[in-house]
């Protein structure tokens, strides 16, 4: 009996298909950011909102699933996905080879680059002027790694979430925050002129949707949904809603043939 049960367990765990499991469950539990406007944040009504949220809602609809949200941070998102605490990540997550060794990524759906947010007194600096400065970054993000690699003499101060880093910069405790440009631009806009973005980006950050490894049907369905969002104009609408302009670069659309 024990052997049969074990074989049954082995069979279902090897041959079970995540997409089928989700269809049975009827909803998708999406790990999203609550601290990274405009990708994932909590709005004035107390609801989670943002570009990643709108995109994952569209993907869920295409997959014929409801969607529920769970907060993830840059530091814990991959761990939570691997532990099965969420089904999917739409979390401003750059697709890197290192991360791809642990999880699978969809096609790139957003194209950003790393920048620096500074106090207005430093607005005339270039990013190279900060090579020995005290720079805030978020634990588990690509930004901390990229900056330290570029400027080994810099002192990186790690924060768990973005609002903590922002408070520290506004309080004059750090010289800059380094992360992707879109977030920096929004913070500068919302700061009444106190914060400025240093102009040049110095990395390439293509975002991908994350799922557990080796779920080919699930991944295909996500990629097709992203492509559909481009074809039917939803992608451009969502983009314009959150960034106030049309996208200069669209995700790839692969042929349906
Ligand atoms: N896109 C970067 C990353 O994946 C920074 C944004 C974030 O912390 O999620 O690390």
């Amino acid at each position: 009996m024990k052997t049969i049960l074990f074989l049954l367990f082995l069979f279902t765990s090897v041959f079970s298909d995540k997409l089928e499991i989700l269809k049975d469950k009827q909803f998708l539990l999406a790990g999203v950011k609550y601290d990274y406007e405009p990708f994932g944040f909590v709005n004035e009504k107390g609801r989670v909102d943002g570009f990643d949220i709108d995109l994952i809602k569209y993907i869920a609809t295409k997959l014929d699933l409801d969607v529920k949200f769970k907060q993830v941070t840059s530091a814990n998102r991959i761990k939570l996905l691997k532990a099965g605490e969420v089904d999917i990540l739409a979390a401003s997550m750059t697709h890197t080879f290192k991360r791809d060794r642990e999880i699978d990524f969809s096609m790139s759906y957003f194209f950003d680059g790393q920048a620096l947010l500074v106090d207005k007194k430093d607005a005339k600096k270039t990013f190279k002027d900060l090579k020995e400065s005290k720079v805030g970054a978020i634990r588990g993000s690509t930004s901390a790694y990229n900056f330290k690699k570029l400027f080994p003499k810099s002192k990186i101060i790690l924060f768990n979430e973005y609002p903590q880093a922002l408070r520290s910069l506004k309080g004059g405790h750090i010289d800059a925050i380094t992360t992707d440009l879109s977030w920096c631009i929004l913070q500068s806009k919302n700061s009444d002129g106190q914060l400025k973005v240093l102009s040049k980006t110095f990395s390439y950050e293509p975002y991908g949707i994350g799922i557990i490894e080796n779920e080919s049907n699930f991944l295909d369905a996500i990629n097709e949904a992203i492509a559909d969002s481009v074809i039917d104009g939803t992608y451009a609408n969502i983009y314009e809603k959150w960034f106030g302009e049309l996208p200069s670069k669209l995700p790839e659309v692969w042929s349906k043939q």
Side-chain angles (χ1 to χ4, degrees), residues 33 36 74 77 91-94 99 141-142 162 179-180 207:
K33 292 286 194 63
Y36 197 67
S74 301
R77 57 193 160 190
S92 62
M93 185 169 56
T94 302
R99 289 173 177 170
S141 70
T142 47
Y162 284 88
T179 187
D180 298 343
Y207 293 5

Side-chain angles (χ1 to χ4, degrees), residues 225-244:
I226 294 173
D228 283 340
S229 77
V230 177
I231 294 165
D232 71 16
T234 306
Y235 182 90
N237 286 342
I238 298 175
Y239 192 102
E240 197 176 14
K241 172 178 165 191
W242 292 107
F243 301 103

